Amino acid sequence: MRGKVKDGATILDAARALGAGLETVCGGKGTCGKCKIKIEEGYFAKYRVNSSLASIKAIKATPEKLISKTQQKQGYRLACQSRICGDVVVFVPEESRKGQQVVRKEATARKIKLNPAVRKYYVELTPATLHDPLGDFERLQAELVKKHQLSNLTIDYPVLLKLQNTVRKENWKITVCVWKQKEIIDVEAGKRTEGYGLAVDIGTTTVAGYLCNLTTGEVLATEAMMNPQVAYGEDLMSRISYAVKAKDGLKKLNQVIIKGLNEIAAKAAAKEGIKRAEIIDMAVVGNTCIHHVFLGIDPAQLGRSPFVPAIHHSVDVKARDLGLKIAAGAYVHVLPNEAGFVGADNVGVLIAEEPYNQDEMVLIIDIGTNGELILGNRKKLLSTSCATGPAFEGAEIRHGMRASAGAIEKIKIDPETKEVQFKVIGDDRWNTEVKNIGAKGICGSGIFDAAAQMFLAGIIDKSGRFNKKLDTPRYRVKDNEPEFVIAKARETSIGHDIVVCQKDIRAIQLAKGAMYCGAKIMMNKLGIDRLDRVILAGAFGSYIDKMSAAVIGLFPDCDPERVYAVGNAAGDGARMALLNIDKRDEADLRARQVEYVELTVAPDFNSQFTKALTFPHAEDKFPHLKHLLPEL
Ligand code: FES
């Protein structure tokens, strides 16, 4: 693709403007090295362009750890740090291209009691005459009281504007949509029984929308997409900093997500053969940062101590005020936040799993860029969040990538020979069954497997250090750093080996240590030393191997039979709030009852965190893994 950009725009700006997907893990800060591109030099007759490195001005010097000196000489640069001041031809290497993320957010089968916030009521009015000249709205009000016992209803202004025509269109027969038995938010001519609502889970990386029938509760269509905000930073802190520092940053982040939701609504509606304007209710979950940006609220305070959100309580706002193109009078219900770092998505998980109605001690882990944990039962509930960093999503890992085609997602290592078998997304076969499976990198679930399998095969020890005595060509030391080859160059589409290096193992240890430490501090606070159940929430939780997660010590010991994935529970929570108004009240009530534990101020945080860095833990026993872990 080609195009014109303003003098001084970065190559990343140009890529965004032209719609070329580049990996931007750090959001353009020049620290992740994932946006690496190559400036081609010379005259390109095809484009009639003289391309030269002289047309690029670096914002800041590229550290060698991101692009080696040799590569820099060859013309490799960071797209986010290169300003264009002349004609250039840019080559985007395979590993810098943004793959289409596999969005794994199917709705799970849950029985949801129906009591929607918006209901449809059909009435037949007596036509107005000279002897009975009552206004259309008052006539409608009176009939709704008489037939459906709905009193004191108000009417939304744009709905009032279409009332006269609608009433007369089908001979004074009309269906009204009433929100919370308070307000008429839409009117339709004739008898209409079906009502549609959209439940949305806005994740840091992916967004999923579930179009539901409000009368039957059925999920009619599911639509998902990458969160378009990813282009402005993959993790929340990068987005907060973009919102705060970039010109119109908040506005841009807000607009892309609104545009994304309008697309989701349109596509889901089209699948069902209805119009987007027939969607009469919407419920949304997302973490606090997403919640704020979605509502156009400045997220700056979320990034500053004491990390308070603008609002804890749920919010009902007119969809049109946010720019959402569903029924003109419809509301969007945004679920409440628990704390600065525990948002409406966690509340979604809470009302879907209802640990507050159970006797068993349950640990719910929502794994993502930010790990969120809930621990407790009907007596008491604690929650916390820990910065796991993006390691589990494939970032900060030398050959890490998101879950898209070609990503290694499953790994087995023979403890004797140290030979590796792996599978990539988009292919059911093992690498050993084909000539070249075309691996591109390792995604989150592959990273869990890599760490667990390398530990079990004795390639790394409990402390995460490489065993220097390994006798396999897969082990080597490069630039003073030990690494283990998972995929050989001939098994990849990127032309070089895919390895797991010492730094990768450290990143995994930091991420898993943060999760374990969070669980442990909460367990100590509740005075318990045993978990009855562990629930892995989040779409990612469904794809990781639970034994790998247990072996690396993502959570304290628990019977593997009682560890299970529940899929996208946050999305299920949004669906429940959409379909049952009581769940909205429950969410507001329970969100305030959960006690938030700020890990960093816990007196034993440092010691707990250090102990949790060990595979699976420095001190804790794992009776349920005894047969697997010879060292314990
Ligand atoms: Fe350019 Fe991270 S270094 S996006």
Side-chain angles (χ1 to χ4, degrees):
M1 59 183 61
R2 63 184 300 178
K4 281 192 193 323
V5 290
K6 269 202 202 130
D7 194 38
T10 64
I11 296 183
L12 180 60
D13 292 335
R16 278 178 186 151
L18 296 173
L22 278 187
E23 291 287 353
T24 52
V25 173
C26 69
K29 288 206 283 274
T31 53
C32 71
K34 299 278 177 190
C35 66
K36 189 165 79 178
I37 46 86
K38 186 172 182 250
I39 305 296
E40 302 287 5
E41 290 203 276
Y43 180 70
F44 290 79
K46 189 172 157 200
Y47 310 120
R48 275 184 263 145
V49 157
N50 226 331
S51 170
S52 147
L53 268 171
S55 303
I56 293 296
K57 265 197 206 124
I59 297 178
K60 61 179 183 212
T62 309
E64 263 187 74
K65 69 172 198 311
L66 298 183
I67 302 182
S68 69
K69 272 244 146 58
T70 330
Q71 283 204 317
Q72 292 198 29
K73 270 192 203 136
Q74 291 165 348
Y76 283 94
R77 296 288 184 272
L78 294 178
C80 66
Q81 298 301 311
S82 308
R83 289 201 190 283
I84 304 171
C85 49
D87 291 344
V88 274
V89 172
V90 180
F91 169 71
V92 183
E94 175 88 6
E95 62 256 50
S96 306
R97 291 181 201 165
K98 185 167 278 167
Q100 195 58 343
Q101 169 119 6
V102 183
V103 181
R104 300 157 148 174
K105 289 202 166 179
E106 301 82 12
T108 32
R110 286 185 194 257
K111 217 165 163 37
I112 303 173
K113 207 173 134 209
L114 285 173
N115 186 14
V118 180
R119 286 176 186 267
K120 289 195 169 184
Y121 297 91
Y122 171 69
V123 280
E124 294 179 9
L125 306 178
T126 316
T129 61
L130 282 175
H131 302 292
D132 177 14
L134 190 64
D136 291 349
F137 175 54
E138 287 73 18
R139 187 173 298 273
L140 178 61
Q141 268 186 322
E143 196 58 31
L144 285 166
V145 172
K146 203 164 112 201
K147 194 151 175 230
H148 299 290
Q149 295 75 51
L150 291 164
S151 46
N152 300 320
L153 290 185
T154 58
I155 187 162
D156 185 51
Y157 172 63
V159 183
L160 176 62
L161 299 185
K162 66 175 185 176
L163 183 64
Q164 289 169 308
N165 283 343
T166 315
V167 157
R168 287 163 182 84
K169 202 166 173 188
E170 290 199 20
N171 198 22
W172 298 84
K173 297 186 177 81
I174 183 169
T175 301
V176 296
C177 301
V178 179
W179 178 74
K180 286 185 162 180
Q181 310 223 326
K182 287 182 190 162
E183 180 186 341
I184 298 173
I185 57 150
D186 204 4
V187 285
E188 293 162 282
K191 190 168 187 173
R192 302 277 182 275
T193 45
E194 303 295 321
Y196 305 96
L198 189 69
V200 181
D201 167 25
I202 313 177
T204 310
T205 315
T206 53
V207 186
Y210 308 98
L211 180 71
C212 302
N213 182 321
L214 294 177
T215 358
T216 62
E218 195 192 341
V219 178
L220 303 168
T222 299
E223 266 304 318
M225 60 156 58
M226 284 279 292
N227 185 332
Q229 296 171 330
V230 165
Y232 300 92
E234 304 223 359
D235 64 274
L236 296 175
M237 277 307 174
S238 316
R239 284 190 216 161
I240 293 181
S241 109
Y242 184 84
V244 175
K245 292 188 192 138
K247 187 167 177 270
D248 292 333
L250 173 59
K251 200 168 154 203
K252 278 189 203 154
L253 284 174
N254 170 268
Q255 281 174 352
V256 288
I257 192 62
I258 298 294
K259 188 167 169 257
L261 292 197
N262 279 331
E263 263 172 54
I264 283 189
K267 283 188 186 159
K271 264 189 193 165
E272 194 45 32
I274 62 162
K275 289 196 203 91
R276 189 162 58 179
E278 286 179 73
I279 299 174
I280 50 177
D281 200 9
M282 195 159 161
V284 173
V285 296
N287 59 50
T288 358
C289 173
I290 299 254
H291 163 286
H292 278 45
V293 173
F294 170 67
L295 289 170
I297 301 173
D298 184 354
Q301 294 304 331
L302 300 174
R304 288 184 201 134
S305 178
F307 313 107
V308 286
I311 182 167
H312 280 289
H313 201 272
S314 61
V315 175
D316 287 307
V317 57
K318 285 280 179 190
R320 61 172 181 256
D321 290 347
L322 297 175
L324 290 166
K325 294 173 181 153
I326 56 172
Y331 282 88
V332 177
H333 179 82
V334 187
L335 271 81
N337 290 313
E338 269 170 59
F341 283 119
V342 188
D345 51 347
N346 196 262
V347 177
V349 174
L350 194 67
I351 59 166
E353 289 305 315
E354 300 183 7
Y356 42 79
N357 287 332
Q358 296 163 32
D359 293 320
E360 287 188 318
M361 192 49 71
V362 191
L363 174 68
I364 306 173
I365 302 183
D366 199 342
I367 311 163
T369 323
N370 217 42
E372 279 150 18
L373 304 164
I374 301 174
L375 175 72
N377 58 14
R378 69 170 79 243
K379 288 194 193 130
K380 190 162 178 75
L381 277 174
L382 301 179
S383 79
T384 193
S385 82
C386 36
T388 51
F392 289 158
E393 310 227 324
E396 278 175 19
I397 299 289
R398 169 103 61 95
H399 292 137
M401 64 180 284
R402 273 190 299 243
S404 55
I408 298 176
E409 59 165 349
K410 196 143 233 14
I411 298 174
K412 286 200 285 192
I413 302 179
D414 186 312
E416 297 303 318
T417 63
K418 316 290 185 241
E419 272 315 294
V420 182
Q421 272 189 289
F422 64 83
K423 279 188 181 179
V424 299
I425 294 179
D427 201 325
D428 274 344
R429 298 163 302 177
W430 291 97
N431 60 318
T432 42
E433 296 171 65
V434 272
K435 205 159 162 236
N436 180 356
I437 201 148
K440 220 179 136 187
I442 311 177
C443 69
S445 53
I447 285 155
F448 273 86
D449 276 6
Q453 290 288 307
M454 285 168 71
F455 173 50
L456 292 175
I459 297 162
I460 50 172
D461 64 14
K462 283 179 70 147
S463 70
R465 268 192 292 271
F466 273 78
N467 170 4
K468 296 200 174 103
K469 294 193 196 107
L470 278 178
D471 182 20
T472 159
R474 286 185 181 268
Y475 170 73
R476 64 194 181 203
V477 178
K478 221 176 165 186
D479 299 330
N480 285 329
E481 197 185 7
E483 60 185 34
F484 184 78
V485 178
I486 298 289
K488 296 185 179 156
R490 59 176 165 74
E491 297 170 312
T492 73
S493 63
I494 52 174
H496 58 74
D497 293 347
I498 294 173
V499 303
V500 171
C501 65
Q502 188 68 73
K503 269 200 214 102
D504 298 343
I505 297 291
R506 291 282 174 252
I508 297 163
Q509 283 177 290
L510 291 175
K512 81 96 187 169
M515 292 290 247
Y516 194 105
C517 164
K520 201 59 203 281
I521 289 176
M522 290 199 295
M523 285 170 78
N524 289 347
K525 208 168 160 61
L526 286 185
I528 57 157
D529 56 7
R530 198 175 67 81
L531 297 171
D532 295 319
R533 253 185 321 144
V534 173
I535 294 175
L536 303 173
F540 183 41
S542 308
Y543 287 88
I544 57 168
D545 183 292
K546 63 181 182 182
M547 286 314 279
S548 291
V551 163
I552 64 168
L554 185 71
F555 46 81
D557 186 60
C558 184
D559 180 354
E561 297 288 312
R562 317 223 62 212
V563 177
Y564 52 92
V566 289
N568 184 18
D572 291 344
R575 236 169 1 111
M576 288 173 162
L578 176 75
L579 297 170
N580 185 353
I581 198 166
D582 302 331
K583 278 289 196 188
R584 300 184 183 187
D585 295 339
E586 194 172 310
D588 272 318
L589 175 77
R590 298 297 180 177
R592 300 313 305 139
Q593 285 174 348
V594 180
E595 187 185 324
Y596 179 68
V597 179
E598 177 55 54
L599 290 183
T600 48
V601 300
D604 56 343
F605 173 76
N606 284 338
S607 69
Q608 288 295 356
F609 183 56
T610 313
K611 286 188 262 184
L613 294 176
T614 302
F615 291 127
H617 189 268
E619 287 172 358
D620 290 354
K621 299 280 172 266
F622 291 81
H624 290 101
L625 299 179
K626 222 172 174 171
H627 60 293
L628 278 175
L629 305 171
E631 286 182 56
L632 295 180

